Structure formats: C-alpha cells, structure tokens
Amino acid sequence: MTHSLVGALLLPLVTLLVLWTLAKLRHTPSHRSLRAAGSQLVLAGLSHLGLDLMTGVSSLPLLFPFNNTLFKLPFGLLPSAGRIQLDNFFLYRNLLIELGVLIPIAVSLFIGFKSVRTKPTLFAIVASLLVSSCFMTWAFSLSR
C-alpha cells in the first residue's frame, strides 16, 4: 500500500489537514504558506514513488486499492539498494551512483531557481546535469 498513490499521499494529506486545523485554531490562516507546505508535502510523498520507479527493479501497485495493475519501468536510471548490510560493497557503490545522479540535479535546480541567469550559472547548471547524466548512464548499464 505504501507504494501506491493513495498510500504515498496519505501521510502528506493528513499532515496538511493538521497544519490547516492548527492555523484555524490560532486564527492565523495563511493560505500562501499552507499552499506552499501542501505542495512540498505532496511532492515529498510522490518522490518516493518516482525514485522507486526509476530503479526499474520492482513493480509498484500505483493504483491500489482501485486497480491491482503493477507498473515497472523497463530500464533503470537509479540503482537499487540491494542487500542492506554494512559489509556489502554494492550498497556503497549504488549509494555513490544514486548520489551522483541526484545531487547534481538538486544543485542545478537550486542554482536555476535562486540565481540570475548569467553565463557562469548556466555553465554550472549544464556541468552538473552532465555529471548526473554520466552517473545515470552508469546506473543504466547495471544488470537488473
């Protein structure tokens, strides 16, 4: 259930309901901050599904409980966690690959939203996306 849209959105929506209730009780309903918090909560909940889909390993019941169809990408842009044990070499290799994919994307988004469009910032965005694509290529080439 946690790998369905309903399951992934359940906790964010309950959290948003609690925030809305607290704002009403304090008589300070800030619609702008609630809207921002709501979108952040929903995106955080959905990111779990997106990241799991991007491994291309497990089938996910995204439409549960309405439909039992399983969804799985035929490729992977992220490695799977594998066996989670501290002496597992592949855990650390896959963690390195995953960080190599995700951190440059996060950096480019941060630079893109916070900076003035200049040649150095555009170069930094392109460079970080190039690094991310190299790690994605590595993850894509792993056996599934």
Side-chain angles (χ1 to χ4, degrees):
M1 176 170 168
T2 59
H3 289 83
S4 69
L5 290 170
V6 171
L9 293 176
L10 187 62
L11 183 59
L13 293 177
V14 168
T15 304
L16 188 58
L17 180 64
V18 169
L19 291 175
W20 179 80
T21 303
L22 290 174
K24 286 287 189 190
L25 290 175
R26 293 182 185 163
H27 303 292
T28 57
S30 173
H31 298 291
R32 180 181 289 165
S33 63
L34 280 176
R35 196 173 317 140
S39 61
Q40 291 170 359
L41 287 165
V42 167
L43 287 174
L46 293 177
S47 71
H48 177 88
L49 296 178
L51 292 172
D52 276 356
L53 272 175
M54 287 176 46
T55 63
V57 174
S58 301
S59 298
L60 304 178
L62 295 177
L63 301 177
F64 179 84
F66 308 109
N67 189 326
N68 289 332
T69 303
L70 297 175
F71 296 87
K72 176 182 158 189
L73 292 179
F75 56 88
L77 298 177
L78 290 174
S80 65
R83 191 180 69 228
I84 301 177
Q85 290 181 331
L86 294 178
D87 63 344
N88 181 8
F89 164 78
F90 297 106
L91 174 68
Y92 299 105
R93 182 202 64 183
N94 292 355
L95 179 61
L96 172 72
I97 295 170
E98 195 164 323
L99 292 174
V101 169
L102 297 175
I103 288 176
I105 291 173
V107 166
S108 64
L109 286 172
F110 181 76
I111 292 171
F113 285 125
K114 295 291 182 184
S115 299
V116 179
R117 305 296 188 261
T118 63
K119 285 185 182 179
T121 58
L122 291 176
F123 176 77
I125 291 171
V126 170
S128 60
L129 291 176
L130 182 62
V131 169
S132 179
S133 65
C134 290
F135 278 95
M136 277 188 211
T137 303
W138 185 8
F140 183 78
S141 70
L142 298 175
S143 62
R144 304 276 165 201

